[in-house]
Amino acid sequence: MADVPEAVPQAGQVVAKTLACGICGSDLHAVHHLEHSIEMGLRSGAANTLDPARDLVLGHEFCAEILDYGPETDKRLKPGTQVVSTPFAFGPLGPELIGFSTRYRGAFAERLVLTEALLLPVPNGLAPEAAALTEPLAVGTHAVSVGDPGPRSVALVIGCGPIGLAVIVALKRRGVGPIIAADFSPTRRARAERLGADIVVDPAETSPHAAWSSFDVPATLAEMGLAQMAGRTLRDAIIFECVGVPGMLQSLMEGAPPGAHVVVVGACAEDDTILPVLAINKQLRFSFVFAYSPDEFAETLHALGEGEIDPEVFLTGKVSLDETAAAFERLASPGNDVKIVVQPWR
């Protein structure tokens, strides 16, 4: 833990006290591979918002309390109001991601600067730890929106970490079913089941693709041909890849049923190898998704506030700033953990 200068709001900004901030997989990656994260951003066309001569304060999944306003603000929310926000601020290079900018510190600090126009008040007395889940849960909301499952879609979620579980939540809220969930961790499989997954699979014992035929989804090109000749009414498959490790895309190309839509949510930051002809033969569709829209973020907060999502399934630990380094180590091999929340005020 180290001291940083006081947070000073500029025009259109507020200074806020961090109440809770979740630890994200991207935070874990940045601690050990920050230069690689910067390179990936630059290769994607993003502005470089990191000054290597300055300290970087991580943290972008937060709930905070308004302390004071800067100049040229509307002051529509009173000081003391608990808020969440999409983690963006507007600097000279355009939008900058709070927690991955040395101009706008993240929420692992006791105080941070936020953009007034982006603030959303926390509804219905929702606990700060639960409200801080809005950001990662919104990623699931966006992934399902991009996947756009229909009334006859069968969904498979590969990986039941925070984002996979967020996808399951979004699928259930949309009325999609059945949902198949696959993860090697028995704890995470149990959480997927609590959130409404209909079939939970340990990939070490059973292929995640074993059940397609039983749900009227032809598992192979041969099956599809026979089903079409027989005039059968078929269902479509939508697969959410929420692991993000090399080999997953190739594995899905080999295992996915023909015509499946694969939504890639897991952020693989390493080189990978695929055999495209498999996807061509099966006419697979791939969508790669990132973050969420402001409307999806607000929708997710509303669902949390209305009790449509059980936050306790996600929350597996609360730590102080002094305990944060140990929490990062703990999450490097997550085991029973899903989301650990930092409370800097402790």
Side-chain angles (χ1 to χ4, degrees):
M1 188 166 68
D3 291 330
V4 294
E6 277 296 326
V8 179
Q10 304 300 313
Q13 297 176 338
V14 307
V15 61
K17 171 185 176 181
T18 303
L19 300 176
C21 182
I23 300 174
C24 176
S26 58
D27 298 322
L28 301 177
H29 184 77
V31 167
H32 300 289
H33 307 286
L34 183 58
E35 294 81 6
H36 184 259
S37 297
I38 295 171
E39 180 193 354
M40 291 301 100
L42 293 175
R43 287 177 62 179
S44 302
N48 186 2
T49 60
L50 294 169
D51 179 354
R54 299 174 60 188
D55 290 331
L56 174 65
V57 181
L58 297 167
H60 59 276
E61 305 176 356
F62 55 81
C63 173
E65 176 187 321
I66 297 173
L67 296 178
D68 201 4
Y69 283 87
E72 301 175 37
T73 48
D74 295 332
K75 301 179 176 62
R76 59 185 177 86
L77 299 172
K78 296 179 181 179
T81 302
Q82 295 186 9
V83 295
V84 295
S85 168
T86 54
F88 293 95
F90 299 95
L93 299 176
E96 300 192 23
L97 181 58
I98 291 173
F100 287 94
S101 162
T102 43
R103 188 174 286 104
Y104 298 102
R105 72 183 59 159
F108 293 146
E110 294 176 305
R111 305 281 187 274
L112 71 162
V113 168
L114 301 173
T115 301
E116 181 191 31
L118 299 180
L119 299 180
L120 297 174
V122 174
N124 299 335
L126 190 66
E129 299 75 34
L133 292 171
T134 303
E135 202 278 342
L137 285 169
V139 174
T141 302
H142 176 63
V144 172
S145 178
V146 170
D148 194 25
R152 291 185 56 79
S153 297
V154 179
L156 168 61
V157 179
I158 304 286
C160 297
I163 298 305
L165 295 177
V167 167
I168 292 171
V169 164
L171 288 167
K172 292 298 292 186
R173 291 184 56 237
R174 193 157 170 153
V176 176
I179 300 170
I180 307 162
D183 198 290
F184 290 107
S185 164
T187 300
R188 290 184 169 187
R189 292 198 302 273
R191 292 179 187 275
E193 196 166 25
R194 281 178 62 186
L195 289 171
D198 300 285
I199 296 176
V200 180
V201 174
D202 179 356
E205 297 182 357
T206 305
S207 168
H209 304 285
W212 291 123
S213 299
S214 63
F215 293 118
D216 289 326
V217 177
T220 65
L221 284 169
E223 271 190 42
M224 174 169 277
L226 290 172
Q228 289 173 335
M229 289 175 60
R232 283 173 49 202
T233 300
L234 303 176
R235 303 181 72 171
D236 64 290
I238 180 164
I239 301 171
F240 295 87
E241 193 281 286
C242 303
V243 180
V245 297
M248 282 303 308
L249 297 185
Q250 178 64 22
S251 174
L252 290 177
M253 287 182 181
E254 295 186 17
H261 185 184
V262 180
V263 182
V264 183
V265 200
C268 180
E270 302 174 55
D271 289 337
D272 203 355
T273 301
I274 61 172
L275 184 59
V277 71
L278 297 179
I280 292 169
N281 288 346
K282 293 184 178 184
Q283 298 192 73
L284 304 179
R285 288 184 295 145
F286 281 78
S287 297
F288 294 81
V289 299
F290 174 74
Y292 37 74
S293 70
D295 285 345
E296 289 163 344
F297 188 91
E299 173 197 337
T300 305
L301 175 63
H302 177 78
L304 277 164
E306 292 298 313
E308 297 174 16
I309 303 171
D310 180 6
E312 295 305 317
V313 179
F314 292 84
L315 296 170
T316 55
K318 302 172 188 177
V319 299
S320 67
L321 277 180
D322 287 337
E323 299 166 322
T324 301
F328 271 60
E329 292 296 326
R330 184 170 139 192
L331 286 169
S333 301
N336 294 331
D337 280 304
V338 176
K339 183 63 63 177
I340 297 178
V341 172
V342 179
Q343 299 170 317
W345 49 267
R346 285 175 57 186

